[in-house]
Amino acid sequence: MWGLVRLLLAWLGGWGCMGRLAAPARAWTGSRGSPGPVLLRNRRSWVWNQFFVIEEYAGPEPVLIGKSLDREEKAQYVLLAQAVDRASNRPLEPPSEFIIKVQDINDNPPIFPLGPYHATVPEMSNVGTSVIQVTAHDADDPSYGNSAKLVYTVLDGLPFFSVDPQTGVVRTAIPNMDRETQEEFLVVIQAKDMGGHMGGLSGSTTVTVTLSDVNDNPPKFPQSLYQFSVVETAGPGTLVGRLRAQDPDLGDNALMAYSILDGEGAEAFSISTDSQGRDGLLTVRKPLDFETRRSYSFRVEATNTLIDPAYLRRGPFKDVASVRVAVQDAPEPPAFTQAAYHLAVPENKAPGTLVGQVSAADLDSPASPIRYSILPHSDPERCFSIEPEDGTIRTVVPLDREARIWHNLTVLATELDSSAQASRVQVDIQILDENDNAPQLAEPYDTFVCDSAAPGQLIQVIRALDRDEVGNSSHVSLQGPLGPDANFTVRDNRDGSASLLLPSRPAPPRQAPYLVPIALWDWGQPALSSTATVTVSVCRCRPDGSVASCRPEAQLSPAGLSTGALLAIITCVGTLLALVVLFVALRRQKQEALMVLEEEDVRENIITYDDEGGGEEDTEAFDISALQNPRPPGPADVAQLLALRLREADDDPSVPPYDSVQVYGYEGRGSSCGSLSSLGSGSEAGGAPGPAEPLDDWGPLFRTLAELYGAKEPPAP
């Protein structure tokens, strides 16, 4: 069996195996039959040596391993070997492990797993600016020889870029690379193993380098003069034209701002940048007038909004161009001499009073006639008129300032030869005040005073009201009855009010209230006056000052009304009902009598009233010149003065008695029969009636009157 093992080992050794089987050791202890050296046998074992196989071997003799080996697929193999008995196939010893390593050769070129590459670098970068790093991989064994030692070189892209041979970092090789000249570069990088020596394998990749933009170019107008035109009727904000300064930069580096340098252009026009930040928009700033100015010339400047300090040496980053704008003529409506008119006229003036004048002209043809009119909606009451030819405004009716202070008119001016050309203007007319309103009490005053009040006690503050304008006739004086017999005292406060006081001699209580006459007058030109009364009741008051009763005979019982009071109330109510029934019966009987004698019913009515004066409208009934002196030389009794004036009026037959008779002021005027009233008959001498014409001669209108009152003549014999 050992012979077979030796043959196998020899065969393996011949084919380059890496081990051999060690021979057993022997030890003898003695000769046969006697003690001697003992023979010791050691167990056989493998002695391993390295075993190398060349990869991709293609020699003339076959390799028992079975196939060509690739180190890049598997660098080593681990084998198990064991000696077995060929006859019994029993293992002679435990299995043993041995390793077969594949020796590397340079059979793999470098590759770039991340290629192709793309990189960006700012234009105008300095030499040596890093662009990108490329990395190649070689599958060969870096620990054996130079099969995996790589060297980088630039195949295409010189002289713009370079690459570090060891690290693969790509850098700029020349300064001032301009994006506007060339924006993109294609660089080819090669990696070669064997340290770059001949015989080495190589691989390549591409790097696309893009130059990013920087603001290295100032704006530039393509032309030095721009000409535009705009019609004179173009309103503010109207676009006149566009200007663009060229800037080859991109993005924010090409944004521009425009401005007008000359003053005359900045007043009439404005320029702004569009939403893209590239164009300048020239617009109208204020209204234009062809007749005033027909053209504008100014300069416009374009400036980069973002300037990089690193490139200031390439500036200045702005440019200037000239602009000329021609104003074109257009048909225009008439233009008023003023934007708005403010006129004034006094109140109460007669119709036709001159208020003022408006004027407009046709700017295109100043000699063209203009027609003026007032828009009806601005003067609905037709208070004013305007001359169509010259724009003169006059009143149509008397105006009252107290009714309306301002009148706001809209005047229309129209060209006669072109009705479509019209313009409007606001005319504000103020009505000036005149003293045409007599002062009066601010409200009706009905007050009371306690019968226990002390002399000099304030009863009521009386206020006056003058509707005329403040500063003209608003200062009003008030005066009451004077003299020792006056029941009340009126003290003028000289502020348009007066104090009603209890005099030193209190007014005696009575059932009827006191009527205190008050005279009011203003200080306008002319001065106006009026009279009024204040009602004062003398009442019984409780200790707290509240009114208990204003009738001396009225007594309030705490327990309610007495039987006598109830009977009195019932009697009064019954009397009133009887009077009402009697009045209704008499009225019905009177109406029936009138229906029978309808054609013969002739009545003359005399209306009386108890007013003590003519009121606000009665400004000429009495002479109050004595009352207009704020400081009269001596005390006077108003009641006596009024009584004197009343007697004078009664004795004057030419003055009608306004306070007692309803006057028919035009009765009988223009008739040959004169007045039919008997009121003036007492003024004739002796009271005898004068001769009168026969009523039959007055005509058919007086036929009924002649039948009733005319003397019937006897029939002729």
Side-chain angles (χ1 to χ4, degrees):
M1 182 183 69
W2 283 109
L4 293 176
V5 171
R6 289 190 184 95
L7 291 176
L8 176 62
L9 292 177
W11 179 78
L12 289 174
W15 288 100
C17 290
M18 297 183 298
R20 61 182 177 86
L21 186 64
R26 293 181 176 87
W28 297 97
T29 59
S31 61
R32 180 180 300 179
S34 62
V38 179
L39 179 61
L40 297 178
R41 184 183 180 191
N42 293 330
R43 184 173 178 270
R44 298 172 184 242
S45 62
W46 295 95
V47 178
W48 297 102
N49 294 319
Q50 283 191 347
F51 175 58
F52 296 95
V53 178
I54 300 175
E55 65 171 332
E56 300 182 6
Y57 172 78
E61 297 180 358
V63 178
L64 186 61
I65 294 175
K67 63 178 181 180
S68 298
L69 302 179
D70 188 357
R71 191 201 65 85
E72 286 71 34
E73 292 183 2
K74 193 168 184 179
Q76 67 181 14
Y77 297 86
V78 179
L79 302 180
L80 291 178
Q82 187 177 30
V84 297
D85 189 343
R86 180 177 295 181
S88 62
N89 201 27
R90 294 178 55 188
L92 299 178
E93 59 184 10
S96 298
E97 178 182 276
F98 62 95
I99 299 174
I100 300 176
K101 292 185 177 181
V102 181
Q103 183 177 347
D104 184 47
I105 63 172
N106 188 17
D107 61 340
N108 292 280
I111 61 173
F112 292 88
L114 301 179
Y117 295 87
H118 295 271
T120 302
V121 65
E123 64 174 334
M124 299 295 169
S125 297
N126 296 326
V127 175
T129 301
S130 175
V131 178
I132 195 174
Q133 183 178 17
V134 296
T135 302
H137 293 280
D138 195 325
D140 293 327
D141 188 3
S143 63
Y144 180 77
N146 294 326
S147 299
K149 185 177 182 180
L150 305 180
V151 174
Y152 298 94
T153 57
V154 176
L155 296 182
D156 192 5
L158 297 174
F160 304 104
F161 299 94
S162 63
V163 64
D164 188 291
Q166 306 301 325
T167 62
V169 175
V170 180
R171 302 178 184 275
T172 58
I174 62 173
N176 301 329
M177 285 191 293
D178 190 6
R179 184 199 65 82
E180 289 75 28
T181 302
Q182 183 176 349
E183 183 177 4
E184 189 174 274
F185 296 84
L186 185 62
V187 182
V188 179
I189 305 297
Q190 181 190 68
K192 189 174 183 180
D193 59 12
M194 298 299 292
H197 296 293
M198 292 185 61
L201 303 179
S202 65
S204 63
T205 187
T206 60
V207 179
T208 303
V209 180
T210 302
L211 299 182
S212 61
D213 185 63
V214 298
N215 191 9
D216 59 337
N217 294 280
K220 182 69 175 178
F221 282 106
Q223 57 192 78
S224 60
L225 176 63
Y226 292 83
Q227 296 188 11
F228 303 100
S229 62
V230 61
V231 68
E232 63 175 335
T233 56
T238 302
L239 179 64
V240 178
R242 288 175 173 262
L243 296 86
R244 170 176 284 195
Q246 296 179 351
D247 190 335
D249 294 324
L250 300 177
D252 294 343
N253 296 322
L255 296 180
M256 281 173 282
Y258 295 86
S259 61
I260 297 177
L261 299 181
D262 300 321
E264 65 175 15
E267 294 177 358
F269 301 94
S270 60
I271 191 169
S272 60
T273 309
D274 66 351
S275 59
Q276 304 298 324
R278 303 300 299 269
D279 291 355
L281 306 180
L282 185 65
T283 57
V284 178
R285 184 174 185 179
K286 69 176 185 179
L288 306 174
D289 186 8
F290 174 81
E291 289 72 24
T292 303
R293 187 165 186 175
R294 301 188 177 186
S295 65
Y296 293 84
S297 296
F298 49 90
R299 295 183 302 159
V300 172
E301 181 181 72
T303 307
N304 278 137
T305 57
L306 299 177
I307 299 178
D308 192 340
Y311 304 101
L312 287 177
R313 66 183 185 277
R314 302 179 66 88
F317 288 84
K318 58 184 178 180
D319 195 21
V320 177
S322 298
V323 176
R324 184 178 184 276
V325 180
V327 180
Q328 297 178 346
D329 190 21
E332 298 177 274
F336 284 93
T337 57
Q338 299 180 23
Y341 291 85
H342 176 80
L343 307 177
V345 62
E347 64 176 332
N348 302 323
K349 292 298 182 181
T353 301
L354 177 63
V355 179
Q357 185 179 17
V358 297
S359 179
D362 185 0
L363 300 180
D364 298 326
S365 179
S368 298
I370 304 297
R371 183 177 181 84
Y372 303 91
S373 61
I374 298 176
L375 294 184
H377 73 271
S378 64
D379 186 22
E381 300 174 357
R382 302 295 189 270
C383 298
F384 302 91
S385 64
I386 189 170
E387 291 293 334
E389 291 78 15
D390 59 4
T392 301
I393 300 176
R394 299 181 182 273
T395 61
V396 176
V397 295
L399 303 174
D400 185 9
R401 189 202 70 88
E402 286 71 34
R404 188 174 178 182
I405 301 178
W406 288 95
H407 293 263
N408 302 316
L409 308 182
T410 301
V411 176
L412 183 68
T414 308
E415 297 180 8
L416 288 181
D417 55 355
S418 178
S419 59
Q421 298 298 331
S423 58
R424 303 180 181 184
V425 72
Q426 185 75 19
V427 180
D428 301 326
I429 301 177
Q430 182 182 9
I431 310 303
L432 303 179
D433 184 53
E434 288 187 348
N435 192 25
D436 59 343
N437 291 278
Q440 57 186 359
L441 294 182
E443 58 180 288
Y445 289 96
D446 189 352
T447 185
F448 74 94
V449 63
C450 297
D451 55 2
S452 60
Q457 177 176 334
L458 176 64
I459 301 173
Q460 180 71 45
V461 176
I462 304 169
R463 300 189 181 278
L465 174 65
D466 194 333
R467 297 176 59 196
D468 292 320
E469 189 175 6
V470 175
N472 182 18
S473 56
S474 61
H475 181 67
V476 179
S477 297
L478 299 91
Q479 188 173 1
L482 303 176
D485 296 334
N487 295 322
F488 300 94
T489 301
V490 178
R491 184 181 63 196
D492 190 359
N493 297 331
R494 300 185 182 277
D495 60 353
S497 68
S499 300
L500 180 62
L501 306 174
L502 191 65
S504 58
R505 179 180 60 81
R510 68 178 185 180
Q511 182 175 359
Y514 288 91
L515 301 178
V516 182
I518 305 294
L520 306 92
W521 69 91
D522 58 27
W523 297 92
Q525 296 295 330
L528 300 179
S529 63
S530 65
T531 58
T533 58
V534 177
T535 304
V536 182
S537 301
V538 180
C539 305
R540 293 180 182 179
C541 300
R542 298 186 180 91
D544 60 354
S546 60
V547 176
S549 174
C550 288
R551 289 186 178 183
E553 69 276 12
Q555 298 291 335
L556 296 178
S557 175
L561 296 176
S562 62
T563 304
L566 290 175
L567 292 176
I569 293 175
I570 294 173
T571 302
C572 292
V573 172
T575 304
L576 291 176
L577 290 176
L579 291 176
V580 170
V581 172
L582 180 60
F583 175 77
V584 172
L586 292 176
R587 184 175 182 84
R588 184 175 298 173
Q589 182 179 3
K590 185 176 180 180
Q591 289 179 353
E592 294 176 355
L594 290 176
M595 292 175 62
V596 176
L597 301 175
E598 181 178 1
E599 296 182 354
E600 300 179 358
D601 182 19
V602 177
R603 294 176 295 173
E604 181 174 348
N605 296 332
I606 299 177
I607 302 174
T608 63
Y609 55 94
D610 295 331
D611 193 0
E612 294 189 359
E616 178 181 342
E617 301 298 330
D618 184 10
T619 60
E620 299 179 0
F622 304 99
D623 185 8
I624 62 169
S625 58
L627 300 178
Q628 295 180 356
N629 188 357
R631 294 181 177 84
D637 191 350
V638 176
Q640 296 176 0
L641 179 61
L642 295 178
L644 177 62
R645 294 293 185 264
L646 183 58
R647 285 195 300 272
E648 292 177 358
D650 291 339
D651 294 338
D652 188 358
S654 63
V655 178
Y658 283 102
D659 53 355
S660 61
V661 179
Q662 176 66 36
V663 178
Y664 301 93
Y666 297 96
E667 183 179 4
R669 177 172 298 179
S671 175
S672 59
C673 64
S675 176
L676 300 180
S677 176
S678 62
L679 297 177
S681 60
S683 63
E684 297 181 359
E693 298 179 3
L695 296 178
D696 295 336
D697 297 340
W698 290 0
L701 297 178
F702 296 90
R703 180 178 303 168
T704 303
L705 185 62
E707 293 176 355
L708 293 175
Y709 296 98
K712 296 184 179 180
E713 298 180 359

